[in-house]
Amino acid sequence: MTATLDWYGCATFRLRTAEGLTVWLDAYLDRVPGAEQSGVGVEDVEAADWILVGHSHFDHLWGAERIAVRTGATVVGSYESVRVLAAAGVPEEQLMAVAGGERVALDASTSARVLPSLHSCVWSSQPMPPADEVCLGETGLTLQERTERMRALWAGFGAMGVEVREHMVAAAQGERGDGGALVFVVETSEGSLLFQDSIGCWGGVLAHETPDVAVLAVAGRGNRDGEPVQGTTADFVAEQAAALGARTVVPCHHDDWLPGFSRRIDTAPIRAAIARAAPGTELVDLGYGSGYRLFRLET
């Protein structure tokens, strides 16, 4: 056996290690009917040993509570994610709250290191630009100014049609903002996988990481060290790829997961930018449930 990675839309993946451990990365499987569908919902999940949640927004956390209760999986997430899941009925013994700096043993061969991270600049006037669109400005905003912009954004979801409104009501779990974004580095017997589910990072933190494979969010206005990226999404992702030196980059959060807000991101400009900035790195754009062999032998 060898480790495989399956993508199920947005930033949700299933990692199966060579030893048979099943680790879910995020848990957003039940999407609005009008969205692109992976064909797998929460009720289809039969096995889960662990669930690693990158942040507390519904498109990452919603579903973890049901998977955990049905399978007995342990959920690792921010203190806010754990609070939400406890309120949803997940037993305390299945919850691990982390903030960054921890190392969690998943089994005898696998561990997950937790890194502090940042959410994308959703409050930007360009929250979902095409990957090759240059975005400038909007630096230096206070938290109050960002919060006010976020209120307007969330209010706009109500105008996206009945399906979206019903979906948002069903997925509402009372989370406070993003709850503190995290990155996980899963270290297996075959290699390491870095998982980032929102397009933001602390550059100094990632500078110390050298994963074999990096799952990187490629949708949204990038967040570099607390300020919006000045330039394109493609160049920001390529900058991260070059800093990490990973052999493979797998994009995420780039399908049309919430029509009216999201958009399908063309990854061709990202591929071209990575080829320029990190020529030793390959971009592997997965289809839903493709069972990608994660750690391939170098030729």
Side-chain angles (χ1 to χ4, degrees):
M1 293 180 63
T2 188
T4 58
L5 188 71
D6 288 280
W7 179 49
Y8 292 107
C10 203
T12 298
F13 293 82
R14 179 184 63 193
L15 167 65
R16 284 179 168 160
T17 70
E19 292 76 25
L21 189 73
T22 299
V23 181
W24 285 87
L25 309 172
D26 285 355
Y28 184 54
L29 292 167
D30 294 343
R31 303 208 260 184
V32 63
E36 297 179 24
Q37 301 293 325
S38 72
V40 173
V42 166
E43 294 304 315
D44 299 311
V45 176
E46 297 179 350
D49 298 302
W50 294 85
I51 307 170
L52 311 182
V53 179
H55 66 279
S56 306
H57 284 157
F58 75 94
D59 53 316
H60 302 267
L61 182 62
W62 191 49
E65 74 290 346
R66 286 165 286 155
I67 294 174
V69 169
R70 287 179 56 244
T71 66
T74 300
V75 187
V76 182
S78 70
Y79 282 80
E80 178 63 6
S81 292
V82 163
R83 182 193 67 80
V84 168
L85 295 178
V90 179
E92 291 287 346
E93 60 268 23
Q94 289 177 238
L95 297 170
M96 285 190 179
V98 292
E102 301 88 351
R103 181 172 178 269
V104 181
L106 306 184
D107 69 5
S109 304
T110 313
S111 64
R113 287 189 296 108
V114 189
L115 308 176
S117 191
L118 290 168
H119 196 277
S120 68
C121 301
V122 187
W123 43 263
S124 169
S125 60
Q126 300 159 298
M128 287 283 178
D132 56 354
E133 180 176 312
V134 175
C135 298
L136 300 173
E138 301 185 289
T139 61
L141 296 182
T142 65
L143 176 60
Q144 292 91 330
E145 290 169 323
R146 294 181 181 186
T147 301
E148 191 57 38
R149 291 183 177 205
M150 282 294 296
R151 286 197 189 100
L153 173 69
W154 287 105
F157 285 148
M160 293 181 189
V162 174
E163 279 190 350
V164 171
R165 285 198 299 272
E166 291 178 346
H167 184 73
M168 296 298 288
V169 169
Q173 295 180 289
E175 73 277 4
R176 299 183 179 106
D178 61 52
L182 302 170
V183 159
F184 294 94
V185 180
V186 183
E187 297 172 331
T188 79
S189 62
E190 295 181 297
S192 59
L193 167 73
L194 181 143
F195 172 62
Q196 174 207 71
D197 72 352
S198 188
I199 186 168
C201 72
W202 292 108
V205 172
L206 290 193
H208 299 285
E209 299 302 322
T210 56
D212 296 296
V213 178
V215 173
L216 299 179
V218 302
R221 181 82 183 268
N223 185 337
R224 180 192 289 113
D225 298 333
E227 291 286 0
V229 166
Q230 304 297 298
T232 69
T233 294
D235 285 339
F236 178 55
V237 174
E239 174 190 300
Q240 291 181 92
L244 292 167
R247 190 164 60 244
T248 305
V249 165
V250 175
C252 73
H253 222 319
H254 57 303
D255 57 347
D256 195 7
W257 56 274
L258 189 68
F261 174 70
S262 61
R263 68 167 76 203
R264 172 169 275 280
I265 301 296
D266 180 6
T267 57
I270 300 169
R271 186 184 304 277
I274 289 176
R276 293 191 298 270
T281 299
E282 178 187 11
L283 180 74
V284 176
D285 202 346
L286 301 183
Y288 297 143
S290 56
Y292 176 67
R293 184 180 174 186
L294 198 52
F295 303 114
R296 294 165 298 155
L297 295 176
E298 292 191 56
T299 57

